């Protein structure tokens, strides 16, 4: 639950990095919450507004953590745009998100300060 809350605390932070554990724990908890909401909607004959609202609430933290995760792998931020390629793009993005973390040297300016 810690990583899920941290993702919401940094929902507009597209700088920095997100480690694999932080990303995948956020995804796992988001999936579980979505499943619980979908189950409640099915049981109560609700048309799906709660799930749509939850999706709107989590879209910014999701994009932010994906960008930070891509940065943590050492890949350029533009690698996220691979998602625009039908079918293959989704698989490539998942592959990129599974890559191990890289040393942080690429996140420092020439004076050794964080970018």
């Amino acid at each position: 639950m810690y990583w899920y809350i941290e993702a919401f605390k940094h929902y507009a932070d597209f700088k920095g990095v997100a480690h694999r554990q932080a990303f995948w724990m956020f995804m796992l908890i988001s999936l579980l919450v979505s499943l619980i909401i979908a189950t409640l909607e099915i049981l109560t004959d609700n048309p799906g507004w709660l799930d749509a609202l939850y999706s709107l609430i989590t879209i910014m933290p999701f994009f932010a953590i994906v960008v930070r995760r891509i940065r943590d792998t050492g890949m350029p931020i533009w690698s996220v745009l691979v998602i625009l390629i039908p079918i293959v793009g989704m698989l490539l993005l998942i592959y990129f998100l599974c890559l191990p973390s890289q040393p942080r040297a690429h996140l420092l300016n020439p004076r050794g300060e964080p970018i």
Side-chain angles (χ1 to χ4, degrees):
M1 195 66 160
Y2 169 77
W3 297 114
Y4 185 74
I5 294 168
E6 281 298 307
F8 276 95
K9 285 181 182 177
H10 301 286
Y11 75 96
D13 180 15
F14 290 86
K15 294 184 178 183
V17 296
H19 300 290
R20 269 192 292 192
Q21 181 181 12
F23 175 77
W24 291 110
M25 290 304 290
F26 174 78
M27 293 303 294
L28 175 66
I29 294 172
S30 291
L31 175 68
L32 293 175
V33 170
S34 287
L35 288 174
I36 290 169
I37 291 172
T39 303
L40 289 174
E41 288 179 340
I42 290 169
L43 293 175
T44 60
D45 258 351
N46 195 335
W49 296 109
L50 288 176
D51 199 31
L53 179 64
Y54 178 72
S55 296
L56 284 173
I57 290 170
T58 59
I59 194 81
M60 275 300 282
F62 172 75
F63 284 138
I65 202 165
V66 166
V67 167
R68 291 193 316 265
R69 177 69 197 126
I70 290 293
R71 180 173 281 135
D72 187 49
T73 64
M75 301 190 73
I77 300 306
W78 299 107
S79 301
V80 174
L81 295 179
V82 75
I83 194 76
L84 298 175
I85 303 169
I87 301 170
V88 176
M90 177 67 78
L91 296 174
L92 278 173
L93 184 62
I94 291 171
Y95 171 74
F96 294 160
L97 294 170
C98 290
L99 292 173
S101 299
Q102 296 298 315
R104 304 287 184 270
H106 66 281
L107 295 175
L108 302 176
N109 65 19
R111 293 184 302 238
E113 301 167 343
I115 297 174

